[in-house]
């Protein structure tokens, strides 16, 4: 039964505490980590130690990448990777991405030129990229969206044809397979995030994967202030090191990654099976040959057909204790710090309709079932709820 709180909520701010987690980090049990942590503490080598080296080797193997460098966040990895390319001018970037994509450009004094995404796939529209190229363009930045990769091969080709750099914000990409191959082998470099909302977490962390050894070298030095070891820095780096504790958490998680993807796939199958008949509700479109990491599970709510606007549905779900996120609304070109008047109709439509449902590697099928049941009931009661909200 839908609670009587719903009609009141449709018009106002949500006030109820969620009884279900939007996402929860999957971390190895403490008993497994405790001896590692003890050894790190006793050794005194809290950072720049053997676990970091071991993690980088393991990830190189896992990603089938020639060069992997771990840093303390995806954002710092992006900043350093972009810095290594010594660019100036404009970078074409999808507006439908997370703020860190754009900030990494800003920290390198580059100008983001926001372009549209593909409807429902949410990744950057290649035609829009091509149309945005000017003599000032120096690079293309692409991004995975919720585990769905952009058209990386085509973007690489386009960048080559136009003589541009191409790098990818692959924050959501760990666990994704493209034609059976792991992410991390396209563009000049890709950067994954290992923050708590990602499938494989280090608590906080980032992983740079690149086919170009000189970029890996730049980031190794750049995560350590740009100090090549002699104290005579040839560029201004950051402190972007990954500590031994973080590396130990991620090392213990890596063998579990595949089971996390499988767990999410089961939830996605359940969500899709239960919700596919609802009018005005659509799923993210992932092209054949791609296995998404399902970092998030977005649905799209077309207000007219569903009977409620996305924002109303979000409040109604929260009233039932179910938290959701409208990622990435507002999009990049509408963020106060980048504000540009642009016509990006697909991005705006996606931003108005998208709603990410609860998803984690630890979520149970019963929890997903509860979300589905609630969505189904809300849709059935949509006319009455919308009317009640209008009278509030
Ligand atoms: C698309 C995207 N890029 C970059 C980031 C930033 O990652 P981090 O928090 O590791 O810096 C995130 C964080 O969720 C993200 O979603």
């Amino acid at each position: 039964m839908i609670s009587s709180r719903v009609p009141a909520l449709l018009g106002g701010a949500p006030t109820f505490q969620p009884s279900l987690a939007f996402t929860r980090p999957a971390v190895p049990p403490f008993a497994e980590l405790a001896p590692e942590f003890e050894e790190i503490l006793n050794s005194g080598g809290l950072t720049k130690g053997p676990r970091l080296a071991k993690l980088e080797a393991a990830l190189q193997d896992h990603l089938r990448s020639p060069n992997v460098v771990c840093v303390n966040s995806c954002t710092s990895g992006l900043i350093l990777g972009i810095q290594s390319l010594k660019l100036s001018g404009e970078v074409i970037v999808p507006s439908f991405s997370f703020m860190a994509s754009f900030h990494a450009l800003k920290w390198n004094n580059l100008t983001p030129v926001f372009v549209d995404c593909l409807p429902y796939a949410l990744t950057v529209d290649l035609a829009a990229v091509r149309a945005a190229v000017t003599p000032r363009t120096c690079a293309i930045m692409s991004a995975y969206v919720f585990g769905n990769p952009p058209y990386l091969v085509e973007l690489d080709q386009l960048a080559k044809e136009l003589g541009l750099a191409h790098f990818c914000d692959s924050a959501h990409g760990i666990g994704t397979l493209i034609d059976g191959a792991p992410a991390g082998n396209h563009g000049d470099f890709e950067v994954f995030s290992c923050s708590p909302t990602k499938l494989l977490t280090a608590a906080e962390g980032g992983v740079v994967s690149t086919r170009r050894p000189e970029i890996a070298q730049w980031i190794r030095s750049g995560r350590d202030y740009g100090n090549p070891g002699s104290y005579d820095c040839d560029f201004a780096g950051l402190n972007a090191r990954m500590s031994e504790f973080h590396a130990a958490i991620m090392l213990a998680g890596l063998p579990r990654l595949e089971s996390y993807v499988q767990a999410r796939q089961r939830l996605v199958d359940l969500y899709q099976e239960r919700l596919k008949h609802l009018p005005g509700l659509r799923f993210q479109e992932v092209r054949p040959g791609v296995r998404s990491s399902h970092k998030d599970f977005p649905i799209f709510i077309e207000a007219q057909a569903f009977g409620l606007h996305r924002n109303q549905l979000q409040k109604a779900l929260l009233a039932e204790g179910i938290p959701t996120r409208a990622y990435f609304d507002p999009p990049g070109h509408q963020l106060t710090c980048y504000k540009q008047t642009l016509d990006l109709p697909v991005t705006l439509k996606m931003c108005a309709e998208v709603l990410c449902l609860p998803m984690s590697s630890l979520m149970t099928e019963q929890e997903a079932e509860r979300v589905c049941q609630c969505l189904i009931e809300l849709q059935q009661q949509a006319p009455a709820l919308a009317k009640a909200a209008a009278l509030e």
Side-chain angles (χ1 to χ4, degrees), residues 136-176:
R136 294 177 300 281
T137 308
C138 60
I140 303 165
M141 180 179 206
S142 59
Y144 284 62
V145 186
F146 310 141
N148 192 27
Y151 282 88
L152 288 159
V153 174
E154 292 79 357
L155 284 160
D156 277 347
Q157 275 164 2
L158 184 62
K160 195 171 169 198
E161 175 195 322
L162 300 171
L164 303 173
H166 168 223
F167 43 88
C168 187
D169 178 343
S170 306
H172 302 183
I174 280 209
T176 290

Side-chain angles (χ1 to χ4, degrees), residues 79-80 83 218-219 221-227 233-240:
I79 290 174
L80 291 171
Q83 187 190 36
W218 182 283
I219 294 163
S221 174
R223 72 181 169 186
D224 217 7
Y225 318 106
N227 174 10
C233 299
D234 42 10
F235 69 93
L238 303 170
N239 175 353

Side-chain angles (χ1 to χ4, degrees), residues 11 28 50 75 87 108 175 178 189 220 253 261 288 324 336 344 361 374 377 379:
T75 308
L87 301 169
N108 278 286
I178 308 168
F189 62 87
R220 269 182 217 290
V261 184
T324 56
T336 299
L344 302 181
S361 310
C374 196
E377 288 179 22
Q379 197 284 319

Side-chain angles (χ1 to χ4, degrees), residues 72-78 96-102 141 143-146 169-172 191-198 203-207 295-296 327-328:
N72 63 351
S73 73
C74 175
T75 308
S76 61
L78 287 169
F96 197 91
S97 187
F98 186 66
M99 55 194 80
S101 308
F102 325 125
M141 180 179 206
Y144 284 62
V145 186
F146 310 141
D169 178 343
S170 306
H172 302 183
V191 190
F192 303 101
S193 171
C194 320
S195 75
T197 58
K198 310 307 182 298
E204 294 288 357
V207 175
K295 191 290 226 183
D296 288 294
Y327 294 144
F328 296 112

